[in-house]
Amino acid sequence: MQPTAETVARLEAEIRELRSALTQTQEALRNQSDSLGGRDREVGQSETFAASVLDQTQDAIVVCDPSGHIIRANQAADQLCDGNPLQKQFEVAFPLHHVAASTTGNVPSRDEPLSLVPPASAVPFLRDVEASLVRNDGLQVELSVSVRPMVDESGQPLGTLVTMTDITDRKHAEDSLRRAKEDWEQTFDAVPDLVAVLDNQHRVVRANRAMADRVGMTPEQCAGLLCYQLVHGTAAPPESCPHMQTCRDGKEHTAEVEDARRGEYFLVSTTPRFDDQGQVIGAVHVARDISDLKRRERRIDTLTRVYAVLSQVNEVIVRVRDADALFSEVCRIIAETGRFPLAWVGRRDGKRVVPVAFSGPAANMVHEIQVEVEGRLGAGPTGTCLREHRPVVNDDFTTNPAMAPWREQANRHGLRTSAAFPLYRQGQPIGTLTLYAADPNAFDADQVTLLASLSADISYALDAIDDERRRVLAEEALRKSADELARSNEDLEQFASVASHDLQEPLRTVTGFVDLLRKRYVQQLDAEANRFIEFVLEGTERMQTLIRDLLAYSRVSTRRREPVSVDVGELLDQVQTTLHEQIQEARAEITHGPLPTVRADASQLAQLFQNLIGNGMKFRGQSPPKVHVEAVRDGDFWHFSVRDNGIGIDAKHHEQIFEVFRRLHTREHYEGTGIGLAICKKIVDRHGGRIWVESEPGHGATFHFTLPA
Ligand code: ADP
């Protein structure tokens, strides 16, 4: 507020008055001092003493007169004001403003001159009021201020004694302590782990925010409560509680603790707290929520077990040859290796799904439940899977409305989840593989993929079992017919052998007697009777040839010898010797290339060449017959060929000429019984080779056969 001219004039008058009063007072004092003499010196000495004591004092001391003007200040006060004129300094910044404020509640302006502050008499006795002073050099000094009024013996105010202690260092120390405390508290609350400081009676001394939030309280509400009641809701600490151990042995402990109520897992560590005597007074209890980690661990564990199931089932698939045995083994492996509480295979039977195999600790449930393909009893994974031919998962028996028909049983057997996978046989859905788990949402996507491939493997195995069964049946049938064929062949050969052998005897008798008839009665009989006798003789001769050839045919198998090393070149020379007459008669030319040594029945091999070369000469054309024999190596075989320049054979007869009695010509044109090539085939077959012909009519024929090298 701007002072008026009147006020200024009045103040100037007052100052003038004061000045003259001061001059008068000084005059009076001088006179007084003169009169006082020695006494004055005494007082002067004691004042000097007092001043030096004041200057020695660390605290700043200021003495004010009753009007609030400073009349005395010690060195510490001067230093506090940075050597500036005290009066001005105090008028501007003297902390009595605060003192006044703290006592009267009336806060004077900081610019208000100190003289306007209520006089010392009004200032009560104050002790250790904290205030701050900004020095000229800008430094802020923290002070503890005490103000004491001074009165004379009659109780008249003499002034005020102000003592100021520099507490800047202490304040700074206090501030950093406070900040450190705040920092610590913030950190304590910011830690996401659940932290509780406990006493040795398991009482919470202090809990951080995470801990308090978890139990739905404030940190303050937690204090004093029993930790196990608060966290676990139990009447005593859990068995695994590491805090108990720390209280017992004063050591740090760590344990995994499960909160079964919430299905959560914690890694708990307890660090002991000691008193000055080294006694355990409790611990810092830190609990880290490792439920996620546990869940991941469990997931990996489950996947590993499912992989193990897959590999074991695949081993079983290779071994087992029966569908029902396969289903039982699969269920057993899922329960034992996969540690699933229940696995069953259901086969579709009309409207119903009938269990054909099951295993696991909850296997009894299979007898208690009924599953169908349609309707309410078909709304679960098994029924849906059978209808829709895809894996179906039930995430939770308790919440999934479709699972209502089986909820009670599942609950009783401790089952929360199920998943069904389709089984196929020859591409047709025939049933399901259904698995159960004790946890909700137990079948995640990865597990479903793995289990779907398991069911695909089982379906593949079912097809393989069917194929195998068909193959075994076919093999059995083949073996049976081969046995029958061998038996009938043997019978036939025996018959041929016996028949041909036994037929020779009566035939010889007939021939002998007809020959006698001809010789003895040729004269008595007429020409016609003699011709008849010739017919009979021709017939019997022919029959003898037939019987001989038939016998030769049957002897290929009944009279076979052990194979020996045969030089085919030498063998061919012998054959030519045997056929000498025929060769001469036909003027035939028999040639051959280099020939190997083979292991064979020598006489049968000779018979083979004899028949082929014989035919080559017999079925000749216009020009003299030429027969050429060759052999080339073909892998594990020797490939022989007998080539002639005869009449050749039409392609349509290439197969049948190797059958018994099969001839392409009449006896009038070419002699023969039709057994020669059948014998050749039998010999080659016996030696493990193959025989065939290449020929065209009019261009000769080449007979090929192979023999093992
Ligand atoms: P056969 O010689 O007693 O008639 P084969 O079994 O030896 O009986 O021969 C069967 C038939 O094959 C002969 O009747 C003949 O028609 C035909 N054949 C066999 N070898 C030759 C050949 N080298 N050239 C032409 N035809 C042949």
Side-chain angles (χ1 to χ4, degrees):
M1 199 172 76
Q2 200 64 30
T4 59
E6 195 184 333
T7 315
V8 172
R10 188 168 48 78
L11 283 174
E12 276 174 356
E14 274 179 24
I15 290 168
R16 261 195 310 278
E17 235 171 74
L18 281 170
R19 272 206 190 117
S20 71
L22 189 64
T23 315
Q24 285 167 12
T25 310
Q26 281 171 341
E27 190 64 27
L29 280 172
R30 235 186 334 267
N31 296 341
Q32 242 179 1
S33 79
D34 287 345
S35 68
L36 285 173
R39 199 175 150 217
D40 193 32
R41 263 191 308 279
E42 218 174 276
V43 171
Q45 272 172 4
S46 78
E47 269 193 8
T48 313
F49 175 73
S52 78
V53 169
L54 278 179
D55 286 343
Q56 289 300 313
T57 312
Q58 295 281 314
D59 293 340
I61 296 172
V62 174
V63 181
C64 299
D65 65 12
S67 63
H69 286 99
I70 293 169
I71 53 172
R72 192 89 186 242
N74 70 349
Q75 268 181 19
D78 276 344
Q79 276 163 12
L80 199 63
C81 297
D82 201 19
N84 282 304
L86 261 179
Q87 184 67 33
K88 186 164 180 273
Q89 191 58 31
F90 275 86
E91 279 180 4
V92 175
F94 187 62
L96 278 183
H97 288 103
H98 300 279
V99 175
S102 65
T103 52
T104 64
N106 175 21
V107 184
S109 153
R110 205 165 164 79
D111 297 332
E112 223 170 331
L114 185 62
S115 55
L116 297 181
V117 169
S121 57
V123 178
F125 183 95
L126 291 178
R127 184 186 286 275
D128 295 334
V129 175
E130 286 183 12
S132 50
L133 171 77
V134 179
R135 298 195 335 176
N136 253 12
D137 58 6
L139 254 181
Q140 180 165 325
V141 185
E142 304 299 332
L143 300 172
S144 170
V145 183
S146 295
V147 180
R148 190 149 55 91
M150 296 185 299
V151 288
D152 64 11
E153 286 144 11
S154 62
Q156 284 302 304
L158 282 176
T160 316
L161 180 70
V162 181
T163 321
M164 290 169 285
T165 312
D166 186 344
I167 57 164
T168 310
D169 286 349
R170 198 187 87 201
K171 285 293 277 183
H172 282 176
E174 274 176 14
D175 276 356
S176 37
L177 205 64
R178 185 178 37 75
R179 270 198 300 277
K181 187 166 170 271
E182 279 169 10
D183 285 353
W184 183 84
E185 277 172 347
Q186 271 177 9
T187 312
F188 188 61
D189 276 343
V191 174
D193 293 341
L194 317 182
V195 186
V197 180
L198 304 178
D199 68 11
N200 52 16
Q201 302 301 308
H202 303 286
R203 268 191 301 264
V204 176
V205 176
R206 184 164 189 159
N208 76 342
R209 185 145 301 283
M211 172 82 183
D213 285 351
R214 188 180 148 74
V215 294
M217 293 183 176
T218 63
E220 293 72 26
Q221 287 170 327
C222 294
L225 299 178
L226 285 165
C227 151
Y228 48 84
Q229 273 182 356
L230 195 65
V231 178
H232 305 289
T234 52
E239 263 312 293
S240 53
C241 172
H243 183 243
M244 294 235 290
Q245 284 170 281
T246 296
C247 288
R248 267 200 297 270
D249 61 14
K251 289 188 180 138
E252 198 171 300
H253 286 284
T254 304
E256 272 186 21
V257 179
E258 185 188 0
D259 183 348
R261 287 187 305 175
R262 305 199 199 190
E264 290 173 345
Y265 287 87
F266 290 91
L267 181 69
V268 177
S269 70
T270 48
T271 311
R273 296 163 58 229
F274 300 99
D275 64 10
D276 294 343
Q277 278 75 49
Q279 295 298 310
V280 181
I281 54 164
V284 178
H285 181 285
V286 181
R288 174 162 297 179
D289 188 344
I290 53 165
S291 309
D292 262 358
L293 193 77
K294 276 277 171 196
R295 265 191 287 278
R296 274 202 295 275
E297 261 178 27
R298 264 215 302 262
R299 190 169 161 267
I300 289 169
D301 183 50
T302 311
L303 285 179
T304 310
R305 281 188 277 115
V306 174
Y307 272 119
V309 167
L310 264 170
S311 103
Q312 285 186 21
V313 165
N314 278 309
E315 276 171 28
V316 165
I317 282 173
V318 177
R319 190 159 40 83
V320 173
R321 290 279 161 269
D322 170 77
D324 286 342
L326 175 66
F327 293 150
S328 299
E329 278 290 88
V330 166
C331 291
R332 183 190 62 75
I333 292 168
I334 292 173
E336 285 178 12
T337 304
R339 295 216 291 277
F340 286 89
L342 170 60
W344 66 284
V345 171
R347 191 177 267 152
R348 186 181 182 147
D349 183 8
K351 272 171 47 183
R352 296 185 57 229
V353 185
V354 183
V356 291
F358 44 85
S359 186
N364 276 344
M365 166 138 148
V366 173
H367 304 298
E368 297 169 16
I369 59 170
Q370 206 182 331
V371 180
E372 294 187 353
V373 185
E374 307 280 347
R376 193 168 154 272
L377 293 176
T382 305
T384 313
C385 172
L386 269 172
R387 281 195 315 280
E388 300 180 8
H389 317 314
R390 62 176 179 88
V392 182
V393 174
N394 144 44
D395 275 339
D396 198 340
F397 271 103
T398 15
T399 53
N400 187 344
M403 302 314 290
W406 309 281
R407 186 168 297 145
E408 188 270 319
Q409 290 96 331
N411 194 27
R412 197 151 26 81
H413 289 283
L415 307 176
R416 284 291 292 271
T417 328
S418 57
F421 301 86
L423 295 176
Y424 297 88
R425 196 164 193 165
Q426 307 296 331
Q428 293 302 311
I430 54 140
T432 52
L433 170 66
T434 308
L435 288 83
Y436 296 74
D439 300 319
N441 304 307
F443 295 96
D444 64 16
D446 288 341
Q447 221 185 121
V448 169
T449 308
L450 279 180
L451 290 168
S453 77
L454 174 73
S455 74
D457 286 354
I458 298 168
S459 302
Y460 169 79
L462 292 176
D463 287 355
I465 287 172
D466 290 346
D467 292 349
E468 174 74 5
R469 175 160 299 159
R470 271 198 293 274
R471 194 182 61 77
V472 167
L473 285 177
E475 265 178 10
E476 229 164 68
L478 201 68
R479 203 173 42 245
K480 234 185 204 166
S481 65
D483 286 353
E484 273 168 18
L485 203 67
R487 243 195 329 273
S488 73
N489 265 355
E490 248 168 55
D491 291 352
L492 207 66
E493 272 167 15
Q494 217 168 0
F495 170 77
S497 162
V498 170
S500 47
H501 186 266
D502 292 358
L503 278 174
Q504 276 184 326
E505 183 54 37
L507 195 59
R508 261 197 298 274
T509 311
V510 172
T511 317
F513 280 101
V514 173
D515 203 31
L516 265 179
L517 197 66
R518 190 183 59 175
K519 281 176 184 158
R520 288 200 194 167
Y521 300 98
V522 70
Q523 302 304 329
Q524 283 121 305
L525 295 172
D526 60 15
E528 195 167 30
N530 275 315
R531 218 175 49 248
F532 289 165
I533 288 174
E534 284 306 318
F535 286 153
V536 171
L537 282 174
E538 263 178 48
T540 53
E541 200 180 316
R542 168 138 185 79
M543 190 175 266
Q544 270 174 338
T545 317
L546 264 173
I547 290 172
R548 195 191 59 234
D549 284 358
L550 204 57
L551 206 57
Y553 178 78
S554 70
R555 279 176 181 166
V556 173
S557 32
T558 54
R559 294 241 176 122
R560 63 173 183 267
R561 297 194 191 109
E562 281 303 305
V564 291
S565 190
V566 181
D567 181 332
V568 180
E570 280 176 16
L571 185 95
L572 210 57
D573 289 345
Q574 289 168 21
V575 169
Q576 287 189 59
T577 309
T578 312
L579 293 174
H580 181 71
E581 249 175 63
Q582 274 170 269
I583 295 170
Q584 289 296 313
E585 181 263 320
R587 284 180 288 116
E589 192 187 330
I590 315 291
T591 55
H592 65 82
L595 294 169
T597 297
V598 294
R599 286 191 69 76
D601 177 331
S603 68
Q604 289 193 352
L605 197 56
Q607 171 98 65
L608 172 64
F609 279 112
Q610 200 173 308
N611 287 4
L612 293 177
I613 295 169
N615 279 355
M617 293 190 293
K618 183 163 67 173
F619 297 102
R620 63 177 173 261
Q622 301 300 323
S623 43
K626 284 183 180 172
V627 179
H628 182 73
V629 180
E630 258 185 19
V632 288
R633 182 70 183 252
D634 181 10
D636 294 337
F637 289 86
W638 281 106
H639 178 167
F640 292 90
S641 58
V642 180
R643 191 178 71 238
D644 66 46
N645 60 344
I647 56 170
I649 310 162
D650 197 316
K652 65 181 180 213
H653 303 304
H654 285 184
E655 297 276 332
Q656 67 195 48
I657 54 171
F658 293 99
E659 292 168 13
V660 182
F661 298 139
R662 193 63 84 147
R663 306 199 72 226
L664 304 179
H665 310 279
T666 56
R667 269 187 298 125
E668 281 70 38
H669 289 99
Y670 296 99
E671 272 293 324
T673 56
I675 287 181
L677 286 179
I679 290 175
C680 289
K681 179 165 167 36
K682 203 167 182 184
I683 290 170
V684 173
D685 284 351
R686 289 260 168 217
H687 282 81
R690 203 163 69 81
I691 186 166
W692 70 101
V693 67
E694 279 176 355
S695 175
E696 272 180 45
H699 290 93
T702 305
F703 283 83
H704 301 269
F705 67 91
T706 59
L707 291 177

